[in-house]
């Protein structure tokens, strides 16, 4: 399989990239990023601006797509900017890859994704799930982790507090609310596109801890 990973420099995306490059079933990984990644014989790394993605680039021709693009309200600076990154970018990647023949798409969503949620973050995730489903991919995997463990490049103080508390309470928490390792999320995303299970597949936190 020729695979595209959008968001390969993030916490989950970097794990997905490493796993994909090491997987014998993956012949090439296309990872469009703003900054260059370390070279690898199986890696094609076009430098792009997600505001100006080259719609006709040949590297869009892949069989499967993993998308781990996401930001925070603090980093984005406004609801509109957050929605642009967390909704519009994943949808655009899905549309462009689909036009070039992609058959499987796996998206890193979130526990609590809900169109009717009063929480803007959860509502945005619900919207992108809805819009991805409407594209009609033969195989769509939605991975919904809860709180993600691991060290991020960007600072997320509130998340660090939540991680510490969740780690302390881990043994007594229901599996759905325990910390989810980023490598487990990456594995679920990768397996989703490699399996290409027809229709919609939801992967919940309890399946990854």
């Amino acid at each position: 399989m020729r695979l595209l990973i959008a968001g390969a420099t993030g916490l989950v995306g970097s794990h997905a990239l490493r796993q994909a490059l090491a997987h014998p079933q993956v012949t090439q990984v296309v990872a469009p990023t703003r900054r260059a990644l370390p070279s690898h014989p199986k890696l094609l790394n076009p430098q792009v601006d997600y505001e100006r993605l080259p719609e006709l680039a040949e590297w869009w021709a892949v069989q499967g797509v993993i998308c781990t693009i996401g930001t925070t309200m603090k980093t984005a600076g406004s609801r509109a900017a957050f929605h642009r990154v967390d909704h519009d970018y994943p949808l655009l990647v899905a549309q462009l890859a689909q036009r070039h023949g992609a058959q499987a798409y796996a998206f890193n969503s979130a526990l609590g994704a809900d169109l009717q949620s009063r929480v803007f973050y959860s509502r945005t995730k619900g919207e992108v799930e809805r819009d991805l489903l409407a594209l009609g991919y033969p195989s769509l995997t939605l991975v919904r982790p809860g709180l993600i463990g691991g060290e991020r490049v960007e600072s997320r103080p509130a998340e660090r507090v939540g991680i510490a508390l969740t780690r302390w309470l881990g043994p007594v928490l229901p599996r759905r609310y325990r910390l989810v390792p980023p490598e487990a999320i990456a594995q679920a995303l990768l397996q989703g596109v490699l399996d290409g299970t027809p229709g919609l597949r939801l992967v919940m936190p309890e399946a990854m801890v």
Side-chain angles (χ1 to χ4, degrees):
M1 173 178 284
R2 192 165 185 255
L3 174 68
L4 185 143
I5 299 178
T9 58
L11 177 60
V12 174
S14 60
H15 281 280
L17 177 62
R18 284 193 290 271
Q19 292 179 19
L21 290 172
H23 202 289
Q25 194 174 333
V26 177
T27 57
Q28 186 178 49
V29 178
V30 180
T33 58
R34 289 186 175 88
R35 63 178 185 272
L37 296 170
S39 62
H40 187 282
K42 289 168 63 172
L43 177 64
L44 176 60
N45 179 216
Q47 269 73 75
V48 301
D49 179 349
Y50 273 84
E51 288 292 332
R52 302 175 184 82
L53 286 173
E55 298 184 7
L56 301 179
E58 293 182 0
W59 46 258
W60 286 112
V62 296
Q63 287 78 51
V65 179
I66 290 173
C67 182
T68 64
I69 295 174
T71 187
T72 63
M73 189 67 69
K74 180 181 178 181
T75 300
S78 69
R79 285 193 171 195
F82 177 87
H83 193 273
R84 177 72 173 158
V85 174
D86 273 56
H87 174 275
D88 297 355
Y89 287 0
L91 190 62
L92 181 58
V93 167
Q95 291 168 331
L96 293 176
Q98 188 180 47
R99 288 178 202 168
H100 288 78
Q103 298 293 301
Y105 190 95
F107 176 61
N108 186 35
S109 185
L111 182 66
D114 182 358
L115 281 170
Q116 307 304 319
S117 177
R118 295 183 179 181
V119 179
F120 181 72
Y121 176 87
S122 299
R123 189 165 67 251
T124 300
K125 293 299 185 183
E127 289 173 359
V128 71
E129 287 190 356
R130 174 201 61 196
D131 295 340
L132 289 172
L133 187 59
L135 292 179
Y137 262 85
S139 175
L140 176 62
T141 300
L142 300 176
V143 179
R144 293 178 176 173
L147 198 56
I148 303 171
E151 292 297 324
R152 297 183 185 272
V153 174
E154 62 180 318
S155 176
R156 298 187 181 185
E159 187 177 80
R160 286 203 304 271
V161 173
I163 288 173
L165 183 60
T166 305
R167 185 174 286 124
W168 182 64
L169 293 173
V172 298
L173 286 175
R175 290 174 64 85
R176 172 165 293 200
Y177 301 108
R178 296 178 188 176
L179 284 179
V180 182
E183 57 269 26
I185 302 168
Q187 184 177 8
L189 292 162
L190 179 59
Q191 204 59 51
V193 294
L194 292 179
D195 290 347
T197 304
L200 174 63
R201 180 187 179 206
L202 292 177
V203 182
M204 303 304 287
E206 52 266 40
M208 296 181 282
V209 295

